[in-house]
Amino acid sequence: MNETKNQSILGHLRELRKRVLWSLIAVVITTAASFFFADQIINLLKVPAGNVQFIFIEVTEAFSTYMKVCFIVGIIAAMPVIMYNALMFVMPALTSREKKWVLLILPWVLIMFFGGIYFGYRFLIPPATRFLLHFGSNVALIQPRLSNYVNFVIGLLLIIGLLFEMPVVVAFLARIGVISSRWLANKQKIIIIVAFIVSAVITPTPDAVNQTIVAGTLIALFELSILIAWLMEKRKKKAQDTGLSA
């Protein structure tokens, strides 16, 4: 009995090592490939800043900045492979119904994440960088470090991308019965306040219009989450009624 259990554990560990190894190989390949487009990627990140002259002030700063950008892009580019290997590792433990829902949700994880990145790049980063990179320019020459700017932009984009995962997470939690649309609806007032607090934190400008756009987007995502939870409950109830009638 113990020997069979140990063999099962060793089998899971070997499978986990295999999946982690393939994911790491994918990240290494995509990171290496990103170096061929590093200049274009960094120039794309610099677009919202306008005609600002960035500088490097440390010997290794340029190299470390390029490495960080390529590594993050490599992880994002390898995400389908990473998600596939993660799915293949947990799939044997799932029921056929759970497998179906996981396969349905996974594409939306990527869609919402990249949608959040696009929203941040298109609507949040430009006004934020215009404010920060020109504030105080009438009293001193502003020469921002490229590494600081890249860290700021990438960090903000990743936060927005993760926030856009809210409807996907809610859909999953509603499907397994952890939360309900009624529970979410009762939290609307609190969420509105939290949305404006979060927008004030992640939006580094005092511009009320920009903060309102971010807060409005978060509130819209929450309302979408309520709708998704309601649809999940309705579908689940319909399936249960069909089963009882059968």
Side-chain angles (χ1 to χ4, degrees), residues 136-149:
S137 58
N138 57 327
V139 296
L141 177 63
I142 298 178
Q143 289 185 306
R145 297 168 58 181
L146 183 61
S147 59
N148 287 345
Y149 172 80

Side-chain angles (χ1 to χ4, degrees), residues 166-222:
M166 186 194 308
V168 180
V169 174
V170 168
F172 177 75
L173 294 177
R175 184 65 187 86
I176 62 178
V178 174
I179 59 175
S180 65
S181 59
R182 182 181 297 275
W183 183 85
L184 290 172
N186 291 335
K187 306 297 181 182
Q188 281 180 311
K189 293 181 180 179
I190 298 175
I191 292 300
I192 291 174
I193 297 174
V194 171
F196 277 95
I197 294 174
V198 171
S199 68
V201 172
I202 68 175
T203 307
T205 70
D207 181 14
V209 175
N210 195 43
Q211 291 182 7
T212 302
I213 291 174
V214 177
T217 302
L218 296 178
I219 294 170
L221 288 172
F222 179 75

Side-chain angles (χ1 to χ4, degrees), residues 6 17 38 47 52 75 88 95 113 117 119 121 124 149 169-170 174 197 206 219 234:
N6 290 335
R17 183 180 62 182
V47 168
V52 175
I75 292 177
M88 289 300 100
T95 64
F113 179 72
I117 288 179
F119 171 81
Y121 182 81
L124 180 59
Y149 172 80
V169 174
V170 168
I197 294 174
I219 294 170
K234 187 176 180 181

